[in-house]
Amino acid sequence: MGEETRSETYAELASVGPYGVRPGHALITMVEPHPGHEHAYNRWYEDDHYYAGAMAMPWMYAGRRWVATRDLQLLRRPEKSAVAQPVTAGCYLSTYWITEGRYDDHMRWTVGINKRLGRDGRVHQDRTHVFTAFQDHVATVYRDGAGGPRDFHALDHPYQGLVLEVIDAEGPERRAELLEWLRSHHLPGKLAQSPAAMVVLFRPTPLPGDRMSYVKQVEGVDDRLTLLWFLQSDPRACWPELFAGREAEVAESGLGRVELVAPFVPTVPGTDLYVDQLR
């Protein structure tokens, strides 16, 4: 006899609740392995944690890892960031989609499994969480209308780059206005004729009180928006024309300020490609 798994409970749970494919929520986590531990961190994350601590969990149905080599880190703006100090911190980024309406169910599981992983010695401690937050989806802006991949495809489609952008509204009462400006006025024009196929927008949610102690509580819950730009080209190829002026473009709106623009390329699962290019 194997370990008790309460299989009958799974059958009961499968018959209730939403089970669509829309990414109603996301986990976006940017992490800095401690110097000298880059290889060990990468192998732990890819060989164990990506699966046992993420993809094997209920309602987390898509995921992808990204990396910023040193030359990509040096493109980041602004120099004084409210998100990353220094702005180059956080060379690995993981992004995950969670089924709409299943945030609470997923959180109950993730807190439980991470406590178990900790007890079993399966948590790599030589790392710092720079920007880790669960997020609620608020909008997706497409370049090609209905002609391209949808946001629920984004973590499986072979995009060549991703840019993480964090924008803080000028106060909580302005966030809805900032979102509407981005969605309806600003982003459609930025995407047109560009290598960026879509921008998926989120707002952060507070982490539960029983979260892991090494993950700090989320900041900017009331006034922050998180944007993920999915690129069909290497971000270095389109950085000057598409992203170098982000701070000024957003500031001119009078609605918010850019606190981070950070480019990444996808990792190659099962390899240590890029590990020696982080410093």
Side-chain angles (χ1 to χ4, degrees):
M1 290 290 292
E3 185 178 354
E4 171 59 50
T5 61
R6 304 185 191 177
S7 295
E8 69 282 354
T9 307
Y10 287 89
E12 180 182 343
L13 292 174
S15 67
V16 297
Y19 64 119
V21 300
R22 184 173 179 270
H25 321 275
L27 170 60
I28 300 170
T29 173
M30 187 168 69
V31 172
E32 180 73 11
H34 295 170
H37 296 270
E38 296 87 355
H39 178 270
Y41 168 79
N42 189 54
R43 291 276 43 88
W44 164 76
Y45 201 101
E46 285 204 345
D47 296 345
D48 190 11
H49 198 63
Y50 177 83
Y51 300 104
M55 294 304 297
M57 296 192 197
W59 309 116
M60 182 171 272
Y61 68 89
R64 196 164 193 189
R65 291 186 74 218
W66 313 82
V67 61
T69 53
R70 187 61 182 172
D71 60 329
L72 288 169
Q73 296 167 32
L74 294 174
L75 292 176
R76 293 181 181 179
R77 302 290 305 162
E79 184 177 347
K80 295 188 181 301
S81 167
V83 175
Q85 299 90 31
V87 71
T88 52
C91 55
Y92 281 105
L93 179 74
S94 296
T95 51
Y96 302 97
W97 291 167
I98 300 168
T99 301
E100 184 176 26
R102 290 294 191 170
Y103 176 79
D104 291 339
D105 298 332
H106 176 78
M107 287 305 300
R108 293 286 296 275
W109 187 282
T110 194
V111 169
I113 202 68
N114 277 288
K115 287 182 176 179
R116 182 181 181 186
L117 290 169
R119 289 193 302 267
D120 291 347
R122 289 172 62 180
V123 175
H124 185 92
Q125 301 293 349
D126 294 307
R127 75 197 198 281
T128 298
H129 281 265
V130 177
F131 178 73
T132 292
F134 285 87
Q135 315 248 354
D136 288 337
H137 176 261
V138 292
T140 301
V141 180
Y142 295 105
R143 182 193 60 200
D144 303 324
R150 305 291 85 195
D151 49 16
F152 48 85
H153 300 125
L155 302 184
D156 295 303
H157 188 80
Y159 287 113
Q160 299 302 298
L162 177 136
V163 172
L164 168 69
E165 182 175 26
V166 178
I167 304 177
D168 286 350
E170 296 295 344
E173 70 284 352
R174 304 298 298 277
R175 183 166 65 178
E177 190 178 355
L178 172 64
L179 172 62
E180 181 58 26
W181 175 74
L182 288 166
R183 174 172 52 191
S184 301
H185 303 286
H186 179 65
L187 290 175
K190 288 289 291 185
L191 293 181
Q193 307 300 315
S194 84
M198 72 177 82
V199 181
V200 191
L201 298 90
F202 299 90
R203 58 175 176 238
T205 61
L207 288 169
D210 54 355
R211 70 191 185 279
M212 299 299 98
S213 60
Y214 49 79
V215 182
K216 66 180 180 180
Q217 186 54 269
V218 176
E219 300 171 350
V221 169
D222 295 325
D223 57 13
R224 179 162 287 176
L225 292 174
T226 305
L227 286 65
L228 298 179
W229 298 67
F230 288 91
L231 308 179
Q232 293 175 314
S233 70
D234 187 300
R236 284 163 283 220
C238 60
W239 191 260
E241 62 271 22
L242 200 55
F243 297 103
R246 292 299 296 150
E247 293 166 270
E249 291 171 352
V250 173
E252 286 172 7
S253 73
L255 299 172
R257 62 191 178 280
V258 170
E259 292 292 359
L260 181 66
V261 188
F264 295 85
V265 293
T267 61
V268 179
T271 77
D272 291 314
L273 187 65
Y274 305 120
V275 169
D276 61 351
Q277 301 175 43
L278 303 178
R279 308 301 180 196

